[in-house]
Amino acid sequence: MDVNKEFFSNITSRERAIFEGAISMGALFHQFVGTPVNNQTKKSLEDAMRNSLNLQPAIEDVEVNIDFTRLEDAMSEFDYTSLTGDMLDVKIHTKVDDVKAVIRIKFIEELNYPLMYVEDIKD
Amino acid sequence: MDVNKEFFSNITSRERAIFEGAISMGALFHQFVGTPVNNQTKKSLEDAMRNSLNLQPAIEDVEVNIDFTRLEDAMSEFDYTSLTGDMLDVKIHTKVDDVKAVIRIKFIEELNYPLMYVEDIKD
Amino acid sequence: MDVNKEFFSNITSRERAIFEGAISMGALFHQFVGTPVNNQTKKSLEDAMRNSLNLQPAIEDVEVNIDFTRLEDAMSEFDYTSLTGDMLDVKIHTKVDDVKAVIRIKFIEELNYPLMYVEDIKD
Amino acid sequence: MDVNKEFFSNITSRERAIFEGAISMGALFHQFVGTPVNNQTKKSLEDAMRNSLNLQPAIEDVEVNIDFTRLEDAMSEFDYTSLTGDMLDVKIHTKVDDVKAVIRIKFIEELNYPLMYVEDIKD
């Protein structure tokens, strides 16, 4: 079965680059939010997030940064916290044919919300 | 802050309809996979999945069906199973300006994989 | 196979009541934290949480309350938020032989932490 | 606030060792099931699971093994799969005062179910 021909011939390469990056961003957020984390384990969690999302279709690279400042504000009596979307600063790079896109999540103060958007797209 | 102007002026309405639906599909899969479920609780879980995803930007409707057949195959000694992606048949309807899109997840036998794709898009 | 004889003869009924309730409480937290929710969908999410956890071994009843006050504080520009552990007030009732236990999660201000503990146990 | 006195004086050290291990096992399962994984990323995911669960109260050590055999059976056309409970072989070691417990999850063929149980407890 030719997956691309069968299921993706109705959208452009540009649209596919956006589609695959957006799926992976939604996946990353809802898979990992809630995970116990602190300064000592931040790197290990960032690695697992990057490596697991890298497996998905069209993903070229994933840059994950769990934001230190907010992490410390949220720290409990027990010296760790649960990962929230507000702590995430992530760029997912996708490539479909000649199109390259960067999907971003970043906490936007004015919105009180970790916004997902297309930061860059080139074709 | 005008979110659309600030963050989404670099993509078309059609691309935005795909983007928002794809995020919500990735979210749905990775939020709910693993949930204990059986025939008695299927309806309640489908409702919660639909209602929670409906809250996200640009989502018009969410149709969730947890597939009975696979559910019974997977049933354990304890009369329930954990929700897997293979059981999901979901359509997420998005609307951005005049564009309407349907993002779908469905298990494809030939791929041994629950595929996410753009089932329909109209502008 | 006699599961109880094979795997649980090394602990008392009281210990088993605590064990099964604790598993389900850890499960509930990490399954549902991150789910989009607001006042309109709160009831539906509470129902799905109760129904799905009720399926697990030794669970007699699950009382779920997503705390309104904190929910409104956390509300974003888009009129919904992501479920966090701080919003959870949950009692899981277990029964093993003649022992009944109540496992609780509740946000404790002094700890800045949603604490899980054995609220009540009777044998 | 003395958390132990305030919230845990109604259970024994042995019961607390079981309680904390069971919470962390429920947490581990429901946090990470659904994560994309293959042979290349297995180690990174195991590390993140171990490190994040190690942060929780009373946890001494966490041994995580994602079972290779089942992983390969489940591999999709796209050379990765979603983590399921059936692939998990995990031991969580807890210590409360002089009590040491090992909580285990392992797939049991006869039950068609990844069973959680107290593998060992010493006081």
Side-chain angles (χ1 to χ4, degrees):
Chain A
M1 176 187 281
D2 182 337
V3 180
N4 293 336
K5 197 179 153 191
E6 198 77 35
F7 292 102
F8 294 101
S9 56
N10 61 338
I11 59 173
T12 66
S13 299
R14 196 179 138 104
E15 288 163 350
R16 180 89 190 270
I18 291 172
F19 179 76
E20 298 294 351
I23 283 173
S24 292
M25 189 59 90
L28 180 144
F29 184 109
H30 291 272
Q31 184 64 58
F32 293 104
V33 159
T35 305
V37 68
N38 71 6
N39 295 348
Q40 275 67 53
T41 68
K42 178 177 119 79
K43 173 75 168 54
S44 161
L45 183 56
E46 289 169 348
D47 286 351
M49 291 169 80
R50 186 181 64 244
N51 291 331
S52 62
L53 272 296
N54 251 330
L55 298 175
Q56 296 195 323
I59 308 300
E60 286 267 293
D61 193 17
V62 181
E63 299 173 68
V64 181
N65 186 39
I66 299 173
D67 191 293
F68 254 124
T69 326
R70 289 175 176 279
L71 193 62
E72 278 165 18
D73 289 355
M75 213 57 75
S76 75
E77 181 74 6
F78 300 100
D79 285 333
Y80 74 95
T81 189
S82 288
L83 184 72
T84 66
D86 299 359
M87 297 170 192
L88 294 175
D89 185 350
V90 177
K91 295 182 190 185
I92 295 180
H93 300 255
T94 59
K95 184 172 187 299
V96 174
D97 301 325
D98 290 336
V99 181
K100 293 187 170 199
V102 181
I103 311 301
R104 179 84 180 266
I105 185 172
K106 197 174 64 167
F107 186 80
I108 309 292
E109 294 287 350
E110 293 93 321
L111 305 174
N112 190 28
Y113 187 81
L115 190 71
M116 301 182 189
Y117 58 100
V118 180
E119 188 176 71
D120 195 28
I121 185 157
K122 287 199 189 69
D123 49 333
Chain B
M1 177 187 279
D2 182 337
V3 180
N4 292 335
K5 196 179 154 191
E6 198 77 35
F7 292 101
F8 294 101
S9 56
N10 61 338
I11 59 173
T12 66
S13 299
R14 196 179 137 107
E15 288 163 350
R16 179 93 190 266
I18 291 171
F19 179 75
E20 299 293 351
I23 283 175
S24 292
M25 189 60 91
L28 180 145
F29 184 109
H30 291 271
Q31 183 65 59
F32 293 104
V33 159
T35 306
V37 67
N38 72 4
N39 295 348
Q40 274 68 53
T41 67
K42 178 177 120 76
K43 173 75 168 56
S44 160
L45 183 56
E46 289 168 348
D47 285 352
M49 293 169 79
R50 187 182 63 243
N51 290 331
S52 64
L53 272 297
N54 250 330
L55 297 176
Q56 296 194 324
I59 308 300
E60 286 266 294
D61 193 18
V62 181
E63 299 173 67
V64 181
N65 185 38
I66 299 173
D67 191 291
F68 254 123
T69 326
R70 287 174 178 280
L71 192 62
E72 279 165 17
D73 288 356
M75 213 57 74
S76 76
E77 181 74 8
F78 299 100
D79 285 334
Y80 74 95
T81 189
S82 288
L83 184 71
T84 67
D86 299 1
M87 298 169 193
L88 293 176
D89 185 348
V90 177
K91 294 182 190 184
I92 294 179
H93 299 256
T94 59
K95 184 171 185 300
V96 174
D97 300 326
D98 289 336
V99 181
K100 293 186 170 201
V102 180
I103 311 301
R104 179 85 181 263
I105 185 173
K106 195 173 67 168
F107 186 80
I108 309 293
E109 294 287 351
E110 293 93 320
L111 305 173
N112 189 29
Y113 187 79
L115 189 71
M116 300 182 190
Y117 58 99
V118 180
E119 188 177 71
D120 195 29
I121 184 159
K122 286 199 188 71
D123 50 334
Chain C
M1 176 187 280
D2 182 337
V3 180
N4 293 335
K5 196 178 153 191
E6 199 76 36
F7 292 101
F8 294 101
S9 56
N10 61 339
I11 60 172
T12 66
S13 297
R14 196 178 137 107
E15 287 163 351
R16 180 92 190 269
I18 291 170
F19 178 76
E20 299 294 351
I23 283 173
S24 291
M25 189 60 91
L28 179 144
F29 184 109
H30 291 271
Q31 184 64 58
F32 292 104
V33 160
T35 305
V37 67
N38 71 7
N39 295 348
Q40 274 68 54
T41 67
K42 179 176 120 78
K43 173 74 169 52
S44 161
L45 183 56
E46 289 170 347
D47 286 351
M49 291 169 80
R50 186 181 64 243
N51 290 332
S52 63
L53 272 296
N54 251 330
L55 298 175
Q56 295 196 324
I59 308 300
E60 286 266 295
D61 193 19
V62 181
E63 299 173 68
V64 181
N65 185 39
I66 299 172
D67 191 292
F68 253 122
T69 327
R70 289 175 177 278
L71 192 62
E72 278 167 17
D73 289 356
M75 212 58 73
S76 75
E77 181 75 7
F78 300 100
D79 285 333
Y80 73 95
T81 189
S82 288
L83 185 71
T84 67
D86 299 1
M87 297 170 193
L88 293 176
D89 185 350
V90 177
K91 296 181 188 185
I92 295 180
H93 299 257
T94 58
K95 185 174 185 298
V96 174
D97 301 325
D98 290 335
V99 182
K100 292 186 171 198
V102 181
I103 311 303
R104 180 83 181 265
I105 185 172
K106 195 172 67 168
F107 186 80
I108 310 293
E109 293 287 351
E110 294 92 321
L111 305 173
N112 190 26
Y113 187 79
L115 190 72
M116 301 184 189
Y117 58 99
V118 179
E119 188 176 71
D120 195 28
I121 184 157
K122 287 199 188 70
D123 49 333
Chain D
M1 176 186 279
D2 182 338
V3 180
N4 293 335
K5 196 178 154 192
E6 198 78 35
F7 292 102
F8 294 102
S9 56
N10 61 337
I11 61 172
T12 67
S13 299
R14 196 178 138 106
E15 287 163 351
R16 180 91 190 268
I18 291 170
F19 179 75
E20 299 293 352
I23 283 174
S24 291
M25 189 60 90
L28 180 144
F29 185 109
H30 291 272
Q31 184 64 60
F32 292 104
V33 158
T35 305
V37 67
N38 71 6
N39 295 348
Q40 275 68 53
T41 68
K42 177 177 120 76
K43 173 75 168 53
S44 161
L45 183 56
E46 290 168 347
D47 286 351
M49 292 169 80
R50 187 181 63 245
N51 291 331
S52 62
L53 273 295
N54 251 331
L55 298 176
Q56 296 195 324
I59 308 300
E60 287 267 294
D61 194 18
V62 181
E63 299 173 67
V64 181
N65 185 39
I66 299 172
D67 190 293
F68 254 121
T69 327
R70 287 175 179 279
L71 192 62
E72 278 166 17
D73 288 356
M75 213 56 74
S76 75
E77 181 74 8
F78 299 99
D79 286 333
Y80 74 95
T81 188
S82 288
L83 184 71
T84 67
D86 299 0
M87 297 168 192
L88 294 175
D89 186 349
V90 178
K91 295 182 190 184
I92 295 179
H93 299 256
T94 59
K95 185 172 185 299
V96 174
D97 301 325
D98 290 335
V99 182
K100 292 186 171 200
V102 181
I103 311 301
R104 179 84 180 265
I105 185 171
K106 196 173 65 168
F107 187 79
I108 310 293
E109 293 287 351
E110 294 93 322
L111 304 174
N112 189 30
Y113 188 80
L115 190 71
M116 301 182 188
Y117 57 99
V118 180
E119 188 176 73
D120 196 27
I121 184 158
K122 287 199 189 71
D123 48 335

